[in-house]
C-alpha cells in the first residue's frame, strides 16, 4: 500500500475533483460541515499546527461572510433586526454561514491540493492531455529559475563595473531597466538556441514520450474505485434532490430518506479516504521502525 | 491534425466565444453556486482550446520555445511589488507572436505563477482573463505594433478589462447569483487595484514597446526566423 500523498497523480486528481465538486455544488449544511472537517483534518495532519496566521485569516473571512450576507441580502421570513428600514433576517445569516463553510472547506482542499499536486505531477497530468502544453509548462518553470540566476550574475557584473551609485533612486531604476533589457535579449537568444538544438536532436519527428516516476499500483486501483463509487453515490443523491436545502423564505432541509442518508454517508467516506490511508501508512511506518 | 486553414481559424474563434459565453450564460442562468460550474466549465473549455487549437497545429519549435520564454518572463513579472509588468509582457508577446501564443502565454502565466502565489478555484478565471487579453492583443497585433500611443491606450483598457473580468469572479464567489449590486460594489472596492493595473500596463508598455520590437527584429536578422 501507499499513502495518499505518494499515490498516482490521476488517483489524487480524481479524488480532489470529486470531493471539491460535491461540496461546491451543494448548499447543504451537513455536507458543508463534513467536507470542512475532512479538509481541515487532512490539512492539519499534513502540516501540523504551524501556519496559525493562515487559519486565523480563513476564520476571519468566514465571520466576515456571515456578517456581510444578511446586510446585502434581505430575503427570509424571520426578521430579528431592522437597520435603516432594511430587515436583517436569520435565513440570510444561516445562508452566509453555510456558504462560508463551503468556501472555507474548498480553500483548505485547494491548500492541500497545491501541496500534494506539485508542478511535476500537474505536468504529468497535462502531458496525458497535450504533450506540447506540458513541454511549455516545464520549460517555463525551468526558465524562471534560469532567469533568476542569470539576473543575479548580470547584476553583480554591473555592480563590479561600477555602474551603480549608492542611494540614488533614478540610477537604481535605470539600472533595473538596463538589466531587464539585457535579460530580454539573452532570454530570446537562449530560447532560439534551445529550439534549434531541439530540432537538431529530432524534436517533433516522432511521438513524444514522457519520463514519469509514477506507477499505478494496486493501492491506486482501490483508491480510484472507492473514490468514483462514493462520489457517484453522493452525486446521484444530490441530483435526485434528496439532499436539497431551502433557505428562503424559511429554512427547510429536505426530508431525510434512506437514499439521502446513503448520500451523506458515502460523502463522509469519500472525504475520510485519504486521511485513513495516511494514518494507516503512518502506523505501519512506526511499527516497522520499532522492529529494527 | 487539422489541415484546413479556415476550419482551424473558425475553431479558434468559436472556442474563444464559447469560453466567454459560458461565463455570461451560466452566471445569468443558475441561481446559486455558479462559481463552481463556471470554474469547472472554464477549465474544461481552456483545455479544449489547447487540445484542438494548439496541439494539432504544427507550431514551429522556435515559436514554442519563445512562448515558454515569454511565459517565464511574465511569471517573474508577477512577483514584482506594486507595479507588475505581467500583462504588458503578455500583450507584447501576443502582438509579435500571434493570438494563439498570446492565449497560451497568458493562461500558462496564471497557472504557473499561482504555484508561488496560491492556487484556488479562481485559477481558471485568471487563466481566462489573461488568456483572453493575450488572444485579443494577437488579433489586433499588426495595428498595435505600428503605433505606440495606440498600444498604451490598449494597455490601459486591458488593465481595466482584467479588473472587470475578475470582479465577475468576486460576484460569483459570493454565491448570490448574478447580482448587479454586488458586482458594482466589487468594482468600486477594486478601483485602487484597477488603477494600479492600468498604470502598470501603461508604464511598462511605454518602456518596453520599442526595445521589445528592436530585440525581436534583431533576432529575426541574426537567426533568420
Amino acid at each position: 500500500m501507499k499513502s495518499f500523498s505518494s499515490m498516482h497523480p490521476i488517483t489524487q486528481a480524481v479524488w480532489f475533483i470529486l470531493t471539491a465538486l460535491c461540496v461546491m455544488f451543494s448548499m447543504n449544511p451537513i455536507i458543508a460541515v463534513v467536507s470542512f472537517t475532512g479538509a481541515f483534518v487532512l490539512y492539519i495532519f499534513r502540516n501540523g499546527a504551524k501556519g496559525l496566521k493562515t487559519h486565523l485569516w480563513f476564520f476571519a473571512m468566514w465571520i466576515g461572510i456571515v456578517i456581510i450576507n444578511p446586510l446585502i441580502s434581505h430575503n427570509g421570513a424571520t426578521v430579528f433586526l431592522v437597520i435603516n428600514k432594511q430587515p436583517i433576517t436569520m435565513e440570510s445569516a444561516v445562508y452566509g454561514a453555510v456558504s462560508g463553510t463551503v468556501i472555507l472547506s474548498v480553500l483548505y482542499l485547494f491548500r492541500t491540493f497545491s501541496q500534494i499536486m506539485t508542478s511535476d505531477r500537474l505536468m504529468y497530468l497535462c502531458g496525458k492531455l497535450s504533450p506540447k502544453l506540458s513541454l511549455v509548462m516545464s520549460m517555463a518553470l525551468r526558465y524562471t529559475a534560469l532567469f533568476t540566476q542569470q539576473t543575479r550574475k548580470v547584476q553583480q557584473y554591473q555592480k563590479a563595473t561600477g555602474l551603480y551609485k549608492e542611494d540614488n533612486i533614478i540610477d537604481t531604476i535605470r539600472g533595473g531597466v538596463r538589466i531587464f533589457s539585457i535579460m530580454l535579449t539573452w532570454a530570446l537568444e537562449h530560447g532560439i538556441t534551445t529550439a534549434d538544438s531541439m530540432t537538431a536532436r529530432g524534436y517533433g519527428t516522432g511521438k513524444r514520450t514522457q519520463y514519469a516516476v509514477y506507477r499505478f499500483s494496486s493501492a491506486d486501483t482501490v483508491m480510484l474505485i472507492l473514490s468514483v463509487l462514493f462520489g457517484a453515490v453522493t452525486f446521484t443523491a444530490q441530483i435526485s434532490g434528496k439532499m436539497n436545502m431551502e433557505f428562503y423564505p424559511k429554512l427547510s432541509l429536505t426530508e431525510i430518506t434512506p437514499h439521502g442518508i446513503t448520500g451523506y454517508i458515502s460523502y463522509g467516506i469519500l472525504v475520510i479516504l485519504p486521511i485513513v490511508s495516511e494514518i494507516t501508512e503512518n502506523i505501519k511506518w512506526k511499527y516497522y521502525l520499532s522492529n529494527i | 491534425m487539422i489541415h484546413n486553414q479556415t476550419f482551424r481559424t473558425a475553431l479558434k474563434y468559436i472556442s474563444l466565444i464559447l469560453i466567454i459565453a459560458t461565463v455570461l450564460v451560466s452566471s445569468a442562468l443558475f441561481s446559486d453556486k455558479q462559481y463552481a460550474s463556471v470554474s469547472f466549465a472554464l477549465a474544461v473549455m481552456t483545455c479544449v482550446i489547447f487540445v484542438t487549437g494548439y496541439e494539432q497545429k504544427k507550431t514551429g519549435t522556435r515559436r514554442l520555445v519563445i512562448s515558454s520564454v515569454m511565459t517565464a518572463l511574465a511569471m517573474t513579472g508577477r512577483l514584482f511589488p506594486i507595479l507588475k509588468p505581467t500583462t504588458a509582457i503578455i500583450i507584447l508577446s501576443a502582438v509579435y507572436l500571434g493570438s494563439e501564443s498570446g492565449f497560451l502565454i497568458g493562461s500558462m502565466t496564471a497557472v504557473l505563477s499561482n504555484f508561488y502565489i496560491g492556487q484556488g478555484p479562481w485559477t481558471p478565471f485568471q487563466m481566462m482573463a489573461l488568456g483572453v487579453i493575450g488572444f485579443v492583443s494577437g488579433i489586433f497585433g499588426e495595428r498595435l505594433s505600428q503605433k505606440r500611443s495606440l498600444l498604451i491606450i490598449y494597455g490601459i483598457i486591458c488593465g481595466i478589462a482584467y479588473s472587470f473580468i475578475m470582479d465577475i469572479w468576486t460576484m460569483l464567489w459570493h454565491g448570490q447569483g448574478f447580482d448587479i449590486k454586488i458586482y458594482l460594489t466589487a468594482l468600486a472596492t477594486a478601483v485602487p487595484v484597477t488603477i494600479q493595473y492600468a498604470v502598470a500596463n501603461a508604464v511598462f508598455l511605454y518602456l518596453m514597446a520599442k526595445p521589445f520590437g528592436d530585440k525581436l527584429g534583431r533576432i529575426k536578422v541574426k537567426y533568420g526566423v
Side-chain angles (χ1 to χ4, degrees):
Chain A
M1 288 294 273
K2 288 189 287 189
S3 69
F4 182 68
S5 40
S6 57
M7 275 182 188
H8 196 269
I10 290 179
T11 321
Q12 296 169 337
V14 166
W15 183 82
F16 272 112
I17 290 170
L18 284 174
T19 318
L21 280 187
C22 278
V23 66
M24 281 158 107
F25 278 115
S26 82
M27 272 303 283
N28 183 312
I30 302 174
I31 291 284
V33 169
V34 167
S35 153
F36 170 72
T37 320
F40 187 71
V41 169
L42 184 61
Y43 184 80
I44 293 290
F45 187 79
R46 290 177 45 83
N47 295 284
K50 66 183 178 205
L52 188 70
K53 229 173 162 180
T54 329
H55 297 306
L56 283 181
W57 194 81
F58 278 2
F59 275 96
M61 203 184 68
W62 185 80
I63 291 169
I65 293 169
V66 177
I67 293 173
I68 287 170
N69 198 56
L71 295 180
I72 296 178
S73 148
H74 304 291
N75 295 333
T78 326
V79 179
F80 57 58
L81 200 63
V82 177
I83 299 176
N84 206 7
K85 286 182 189 164
Q86 300 277 27
I88 305 293
T89 65
M90 189 199 44
E91 281 80 7
S92 187
V94 172
Y95 185 92
V98 174
S99 83
T101 315
V102 169
I103 289 173
L104 218 57
S105 64
V106 171
L107 281 179
Y108 272 111
L109 269 179
F110 266 98
R111 281 264 146 156
T112 320
F113 179 76
S114 45
Q115 280 176 1
I116 289 182
M117 200 56 78
T118 44
S119 46
D120 55 321
R121 279 165 186 270
L122 198 72
M123 229 132 65
Y124 171 78
L125 283 179
C126 281
K128 290 264 168 215
L129 204 72
S130 153
K132 235 175 225 175
L133 189 59
S134 139
L135 181 73
V136 170
M137 271 173 94
S138 77
M139 283 207 292
L141 284 170
R142 167 74 187 116
Y143 278 128
T144 319
L146 206 61
F147 284 166
T148 327
Q149 285 169 17
Q150 185 71 12
T151 311
R152 205 174 303 128
K153 275 187 206 162
V154 174
Q155 216 162 16
Q156 281 167 353
Y157 179 81
Q158 299 253 318
K159 222 176 213 168
T161 43
L163 280 169
Y164 287 115
K165 289 190 202 95
E166 293 285 320
D167 55 81
N168 184 338
I169 290 182
I170 294 171
D171 210 41
T172 317
I173 293 174
R174 267 212 195 129
V177 172
R178 193 166 49 231
I179 290 172
F180 187 78
S181 148
I182 294 168
M183 284 310 299
L184 194 60
T185 316
W186 182 82
L188 287 172
E189 286 199 9
H190 195 91
I192 294 274
T193 322
T194 313
D196 286 350
S197 162
M198 277 161 67
T199 321
R201 286 156 204 234
Y203 172 74
T205 47
K207 199 177 177 301
R208 200 175 143 68
T209 54
Q210 247 187 335
Y211 170 72
V213 284
Y214 314 109
R215 277 177 53 193
F216 205 88
S217 65
S218 54
D220 288 302
T221 321
V222 174
M223 181 75 189
L224 198 60
I225 290 173
L226 288 180
S227 318
V228 172
L229 182 73
F230 290 119
V233 171
T234 318
F235 259 119
T236 42
Q238 256 173 15
I239 289 167
S240 58
K242 295 286 185 279
M243 293 154 90
N244 271 0
M245 168 96 188
E246 292 288 328
F247 288 90
Y248 305 123
K250 257 187 146 36
L251 298 175
S252 71
L253 194 65
T254 314
E255 199 186 332
I256 294 179
T257 55
H259 191 179
I261 291 176
T262 21
Y264 291 124
I265 292 176
S266 56
Y267 189 68
I269 298 173
L270 178 69
V271 166
I272 219 166
L273 278 175
I275 305 170
V276 169
S277 131
E278 294 272 344
I279 288 177
T280 330
E281 284 312 298
N282 217 349
I283 291 172
K284 250 194 224 163
W285 174 248
K286 293 226 168 91
Y287 173 73
Y288 288 142
L289 271 187
S290 67
N291 277 358
I292 296 171
Chain B
M1 192 84 155
I2 300 169
H3 287 291
N4 190 336
Q5 184 65 43
T6 2
F7 182 53
R8 218 157 56 192
T9 322
L11 205 67
K12 200 165 85 177
Y13 285 98
I14 287 170
S15 35
L16 181 78
I17 292 166
L18 270 179
I19 285 184
I20 297 169
T22 321
V23 179
L24 295 179
V25 170
S26 44
S27 56
L29 272 188
F30 303 113
S31 56
D32 59 28
K33 288 294 119 191
Q34 40 330 57
Y35 74 87
S37 42
V38 172
S39 296
F40 188 67
L42 270 181
V44 172
M45 290 310 300
T46 317
C47 290
V48 167
I49 216 183
F50 282 131
V51 175
T52 56
Y54 208 82
E55 178 64 26
Q56 307 204 323
K57 194 180 165 192
K58 198 163 167 49
T59 316
T61 316
R62 276 180 174 176
R63 206 208 257 192
L64 193 81
V65 178
I66 293 295
S67 294
S68 33
V69 168
M70 294 323 295
T71 311
L73 272 180
M75 252 171 88
T76 333
R78 240 190 131 193
L79 306 176
F80 277 33
I82 311 170
L83 294 183
K84 299 169 198 296
T86 310
T87 323
I89 294 173
I90 292 169
I91 292 173
L92 279 176
S93 22
V95 163
Y96 289 102
L97 295 172
S99 49
E100 264 162 345
S101 305
F103 189 88
L104 181 82
I105 294 169
S107 47
M108 278 296 107
T109 307
V111 194
L112 294 176
S113 59
N114 275 3
F115 275 116
Y116 298 97
I117 300 169
Q119 300 277 8
W122 51 82
T123 306
F125 248 87
Q126 287 177 336
M127 280 173 77
M128 183 206 59
L130 288 179
V132 166
I133 286 175
F135 194 92
V136 175
S137 323
I139 295 174
F140 298 124
E142 244 164 71
R143 248 167 284 165
L144 287 176
S145 61
Q146 279 157 8
K147 236 182 164 183
R148 188 150 76 163
S149 53
L150 208 65
L151 188 68
I152 291 169
I153 293 170
Y154 177 76
I156 294 173
I157 295 172
C158 274
I160 297 168
Y162 181 74
S163 203
F164 270 65
I165 297 176
M166 284 316 289
D167 277 331
I168 300 181
W169 156 254
T170 320
M171 177 189 70
L172 296 183
W173 183 229
H174 211 274
Q176 296 280 351
F178 191 85
D179 191 336
I180 197 79
K181 224 162 68 186
I182 297 179
Y183 187 56
L184 289 180
T185 322
L187 275 182
T189 39
V191 163
V193 190
T194 315
I195 292 171
Q196 206 171 306
Y197 290 145
V199 170
N201 285 353
V203 168
F204 283 108
L205 281 176
Y206 175 77
L207 284 176
M208 292 193 316
K210 205 174 170 305
F212 198 85
D214 288 352
K215 280 176 210 303
L216 274 177
R218 178 172 167 278
I219 293 279
K220 271 180 189 158
V221 173
K222 187 171 174 185
Y223 292 95
V225 178

PDB file of all heavy atoms in Angstrom, chain A residues 72 128 206 263:
ATOM      1  N   ILE A  72     -26.410  42.389   2.877  1.00  0.00           N
ATOM      2  CA  ILE A  72     -26.639  42.576   1.445  1.00  0.00           C
ATOM      3  C   ILE A  72     -27.962  41.971   1.024  1.00  0.00           C
ATOM      4  O   ILE A  72     -28.737  42.575   0.283  1.00  0.00           O
ATOM      5  CB  ILE A  72     -25.495  41.949   0.622  1.00  0.00           C
ATOM      6  CG1 ILE A  72     -24.187  42.664   0.918  1.00  0.00           C
ATOM      7  CG2 ILE A  72     -25.793  42.049  -0.864  1.00  0.00           C
ATOM      8  CD1 ILE A  72     -23.011  42.089   0.181  1.00  0.00           C
ATOM      9  N   LYS A 128      -0.564  13.945 -20.450  1.00  0.00           N
ATOM     10  CA  LYS A 128      -1.515  12.953 -20.939  1.00  0.00           C
ATOM     11  C   LYS A 128      -2.473  13.617 -21.922  1.00  0.00           C
ATOM     12  O   LYS A 128      -2.920  13.019 -22.883  1.00  0.00           O
ATOM     13  CB  LYS A 128      -2.332  12.390 -19.766  1.00  0.00           C
ATOM     14  CG  LYS A 128      -1.528  11.518 -18.863  1.00  0.00           C
ATOM     15  CD  LYS A 128      -1.708  10.070 -19.235  1.00  0.00           C
ATOM     16  CE  LYS A 128      -0.683   9.237 -18.511  1.00  0.00           C
ATOM     17  NZ  LYS A 128      -0.207   8.111 -19.262  1.00  0.00           N
ATOM     18  N   GLY A 206       8.890  12.414 -34.100  1.00  0.00           N
ATOM     19  CA  GLY A 206       8.147  11.218 -33.714  1.00  0.00           C
ATOM     20  C   GLY A 206       7.139  11.525 -32.639  1.00  0.00           C
ATOM     21  O   GLY A 206       6.864  12.683 -32.340  1.00  0.00           O
ATOM     22  N   GLY A 263     -26.324   9.031   0.687  1.00  0.00           N
ATOM     23  CA  GLY A 263     -25.556  10.126   0.102  1.00  0.00           C
ATOM     24  C   GLY A 263     -24.622  10.747   1.119  1.00  0.00           C
ATOM     25  O   GLY A 263     -23.417  10.900   0.871  1.00  0.00           O
TER      26      GLY A 263
END
